[in-house]
Structure formats: structure tokens, C-alpha cells
Amino acid sequence: LWLCSCAMATGLSLFVQYPNREAVLRELPAPPPSLAELRNALEVLDDQQLQLQQNGKYCQVESVEQIYDGASLKVLVPRRRIFVSLDGRVRPVVWYPGATPEQIENTVVKA
């Protein structure tokens, strides 16, 4: 029993909010040695941002030294945006990475 509690003490419990979802508890067996390994363990894609909540605000995670047990993280998906102008009206058109050309075209036509 003593070994079990020691092993758990070396791990990390992180609360991660993925896009359009509630925050979930992710348990890592040990702190990852690099930011790339942290992103991989949390299944954060290359074009997504990983942010850490500190003092009620979110900041970009730049190193694993920022991460602590019980940390609250958020995964952000960057949006792509253009502005469409017709008859003097300018409207923003937004889409997310992974959208097909047809989906983007339909969004532009609707604007």
C-alpha cells in the first residue's frame, strides 16, 4: 500500500477542457519531460493551442515547468477568418482547420 501511494504522488492530475466539451480529469503516470510529450499525452494536435489557467486568466503553455498537479488546462482550436464584402456590407467568414473546401465555399456563399 505504501508503494502505491508513492507511485501516485509522482503522477499528475490535470483538468483539461477540450473544444466544445466540459473539462475532464486526465491522469498522467509521471510528469512528461518535454512539452511535445505533454501535448502527445493530452492528445493536443499541432495546430491547437494549450493554455494554462493562472489567477483566473489563461496563458500559453511554453514549458512543462509551468504544469503542476491539479492544473487547469484548455485546448484551443485556431479559427481561420476572411472578410467578404457585398453591397458595402463586410461580413466575417470563419472556419476551423480540417474544414473541406466545399464547407468553406458554402460558408462564404451564405455570408
Side-chain angles (χ1 to χ4, degrees), residues 7-64:
M8 290 184 68
T10 62
L12 282 179
S13 295
L14 304 172
F15 296 94
V16 184
Q17 183 177 2
Y18 293 95
N20 302 318
R21 291 185 174 176
E22 295 292 322
V24 294
L25 176 63
R26 297 294 304 264
E27 305 241 2
L28 303 180
S34 70
L35 185 56
E37 290 187 38
L38 173 66
R39 292 174 63 89
N40 187 41
L42 298 177
E43 300 175 6
V44 177
L45 303 177
D46 291 340
D47 63 342
Q48 296 175 336
Q49 298 176 1
L50 184 60
Q51 296 187 339
L52 172 67
Q53 185 177 17
Q54 290 182 321
N55 302 325
K57 296 181 181 180
Y58 284 93
C59 63
Q60 188 75 22
V61 175
E62 296 175 356
S63 72
V64 291

